Amino acid sequence: MPTTLPVPIQFQLPEGWLPAAAPEDVAYAAVHPQPDAGFAANITIDGGFPKEDVTLDELAEASADRLRSVAESVVVTHRRELGSADAPALAQRLTFSAVVGDARLDLVQSQIYLILLDTEDPHKRALIRLALTATAAQHDSVLEDFQDFVRTVRPDTGAED
């Protein structure tokens, strides 16, 4: 059963991407309609409530460590802070090798970490992690879709647009 997000969000999937069954530790998943080497590029969303003193860098490094437990040759190729004090964010890119089906594939995962602060208590914060995973060969061609998707993610206040 998929996990739930710490706060409701709204977003718009890129054109052509299809909702998919979410793994146990993911709240939402979507796949690209054209697989590469038998692997469908995917976008996943998960999140939680990090401890107050944990930094975005520490959260990103923990994510890389979790990936190292299931994949090989995990390398953090890019990490930088984004956003502002009111809306901190971090982007991270990982390369790794994993067995998918009966083939070993070189994969790339681009991650965006968004911190949403409680407007009434700024010490309360929720984490939303957005990830794009694709083959190394397909990553650059689907990255713009992912960037467009990230720009649509925002808290769902329940108000109509």
Side-chain angles (χ1 to χ4, degrees), residues 12 26 29 50 53 61 69 92 95 99 102 113 120 136 148 154 156:
Q12 180 72 41
V26 170
D53 59 344
E61 190 57 37
S69 72
Q92 171 171 269
T95 60
V99 175
D102 58 359
Y113 293 80
E120 294 176 18
D148 290 344
R154 61 185 178 271
D156 186 351

Side-chain angles (χ1 to χ4, degrees), residues 13-90:
L13 275 181
E15 188 173 331
W17 287 71
L18 306 168
E24 185 175 306
D25 58 345
V26 170
Y28 186 83
V31 294
H32 191 270
Q34 298 171 332
D36 176 55
F39 183 83
N42 61 78
I43 293 173
T44 57
I45 305 172
D46 62 37
F49 292 103
K51 293 181 181 176
E52 186 178 336
D53 59 344
V54 174
T55 67
L56 282 171
D57 272 333
E58 291 169 330
L59 292 167
E61 190 57 37
S63 179
D65 287 343
R66 281 190 305 280
L67 188 56
R68 287 181 183 104
S69 72
V70 297
E72 297 177 5
S73 307
V74 177
V75 176
V76 177
T77 61
H78 175 82
R79 184 182 292 161
R80 74 180 170 114
E81 290 190 23
L82 309 167
S84 64
D86 293 336
L90 181 139

Side-chain angles (χ1 to χ4, degrees), residues 100-159:
V100 179
D102 58 359
R104 178 167 303 284
L105 298 176
D106 291 328
L107 301 173
V108 178
Q109 186 172 85
S110 291
Q111 302 174 336
I112 301 291
Y113 293 80
L114 305 172
I115 295 290
L116 304 175
L117 301 175
D118 186 313
T119 55
E120 294 176 18
D121 181 358
H123 295 290
K124 287 185 182 177
R125 56 190 195 146
L127 168 70
I128 302 294
R129 184 175 66 140
L130 313 168
L132 166 69
T133 307
T135 62
Q138 189 179 34
H139 183 268
D140 289 350
S141 68
V142 296
L143 182 59
E144 187 174 333
D145 282 353
F146 181 63
Q147 292 167 335
D148 290 344
F149 162 75
V150 169
R151 283 190 277 277
T152 72
V153 176
R154 61 185 178 271
D156 186 351
T157 61

